Amino acid sequence: MLKKVAIFGVGLIGGSFALALTRAGRVDQIAGFGRSAEVLVRAQALGIIDTISASAEEAVRDADLVLIAAPVAQIGAILRAIAPHLQPGTVVTDAGSTKADVVAAARAALGDKIGQFIPGHPIAGREQNGPEAAIADLYFGKKVVLTTLPENSAEDIDRVASAWQACGAQIHRLSAEDHDRVFAAVSHLPHLLSYALVDAIARKPHAGLLFQYAASGFRDFTRIAGSSPEMWRDISLANQPALLGELDAYLDQLHGLRRMLAERDGAGLEAVYATAQQARHNWISAIEVAELHVKQGGD
């Protein structure tokens, strides 16, 4: 049972964490802090947080757990703000989509208190933003990756893991470097491509006509382009080296497809399509099996 949880950033991610913990009966009080007083007032009115903190110091005072659910570019500044006020019994975690940069920022900001910081990343989201988008079951059956540090105690890791498990999430472990390489390929690159496609079409002189006839395939492929531009700008820059590598590999793939198309190489195109189709079928089947396991109460 957590007596007090402080959340920096009470939008979709932080707000859903708060709602899930409250529904699970695992927290007595949730305090919110952020850049926008208006957002905090809305979050309180929606029942996401119990109190609005006037300062970072007030937010972390007597907190068992602090979640930083802000864009990754802001995490360093938030950690610097709370560092002088961080009490020995408080554990801090984050929800950033990149980890190596966050760990570096945490070491610089927290110094000898670095052991109290457990880096994390919930693999869940929606294209909507703000506290109104928060839902209590956002994390049910989803993965949360912890990129723990050598300085972390088993007790503190368990506190963070237990909080996410109370939200219905499954805990996974990766190093910060492996995390960033994996998510450059399966998350950061797809967002970049989705934004690029919608932007390219929006800039065409006949964009209105194109969007008029765009149907479900276009909607599915570009859904993630509805996500927060600020957040994804920060993620792209924070994971620049790994993302550049994935983008270069994808460009090579596109050049190959262009050559096949120009040469009317139907067999080559079909082979690429068939390989992709089978890989996606296998991936979806694995997801369905895992989801069924979760619904049946498996570990």
Side-chain angles (χ1 to χ4, degrees):
M1 188 69 185
L2 299 166
K3 292 182 179 179
K4 178 182 176 182
V5 171
I7 297 180
F8 286 67
V10 289
L12 169 66
I13 298 301
S16 295
F17 183 74
L19 289 174
L21 282 181
T22 299
R23 185 174 67 177
R26 290 291 300 274
V27 61
D28 287 336
Q29 178 193 359
I30 297 179
F33 183 72
R35 295 180 297 175
S36 169
E38 178 189 355
V39 169
L40 292 168
V41 169
R42 281 159 40 206
Q44 188 177 38
L46 290 166
I48 296 173
I49 59 175
D50 300 305
T51 61
I52 297 173
S53 299
S55 65
E57 177 182 4
E58 180 182 326
V60 302
R61 186 183 302 133
D62 299 323
D64 300 301
L65 180 64
V66 176
L67 172 67
I68 301 176
V72 290
Q74 299 174 24
I75 292 177
I78 293 171
L79 289 171
R80 288 193 297 273
I82 69 175
H85 316 293
L86 198 56
Q87 297 167 296
T90 300
V91 180
V92 182
T93 190
D94 77 303
S97 295
T98 56
K99 294 271 71 81
D101 62 313
V102 169
V103 170
R107 290 192 179 280
L110 298 179
D112 60 4
K113 297 180 180 180
I114 186 63
Q116 294 175 245
F117 180 67
I118 316 289
H121 177 202
I123 315 305
R126 306 169 73 194
E127 59 268 29
Q128 295 94 346
N129 306 304
E132 291 80 8
I135 53 175
D137 61 352
L138 181 67
Y139 304 113
F140 184 79
K142 301 299 193 299
K143 299 178 180 68
V144 170
V145 178
L146 300 183
T147 62
T148 56
L149 308 176
E151 295 89 345
N152 296 147
S153 71
E155 180 182 358
D156 287 349
I157 294 171
D158 183 63
R159 185 182 303 179
V160 174
S162 295
W164 283 115
Q165 287 167 333
C167 298
Q170 304 167 9
I171 303 300
H172 289 245
R173 301 280 191 93
L174 289 172
S175 70
E177 294 74 20
D178 285 345
H179 170 281
D180 289 355
R181 283 192 290 268
V182 167
F183 286 95
V186 299
S187 176
H188 306 166
L189 178 64
H191 277 81
L192 184 150
L193 299 178
S194 183
Y195 283 121
L197 177 60
V198 177
D199 180 71
I201 290 180
R203 292 174 183 272
K204 293 181 183 294
H206 57 307
L209 181 64
L210 295 176
F211 282 123
Q212 179 182 346
Y213 289 100
S216 58
F218 182 84
R219 183 182 65 240
D220 293 344
F221 184 76
T222 61
R223 176 187 60 81
I224 51 180
S227 304
S228 165
E230 178 189 18
M231 179 179 74
W232 282 99
R233 173 203 66 195
D234 291 349
I235 291 170
S236 299
L237 294 176
N239 205 19
Q240 182 210 51
L243 183 53
L244 282 174
E246 293 298 332
L247 182 58
D248 288 342
Y250 191 77
L251 287 171
D252 288 342
Q253 177 80 338
L254 290 179
H255 287 311
L257 287 170
R258 189 189 188 286
R259 176 185 54 75
M260 292 176 195
L261 185 61
E263 296 174 358
R264 304 188 66 82
D265 181 3
L269 287 171
E270 184 177 357
V272 172
Y273 295 169
T275 299
Q277 180 196 49
Q278 187 60 53
R280 191 177 191 282
H281 283 338
N282 293 342
W283 169 60
I284 294 297
S285 295
I287 289 176
E288 290 173 347
V289 169
E291 289 178 345
L292 179 62
H293 187 61
V294 170
K295 289 178 181 177
Q296 292 175 341
D299 295 327

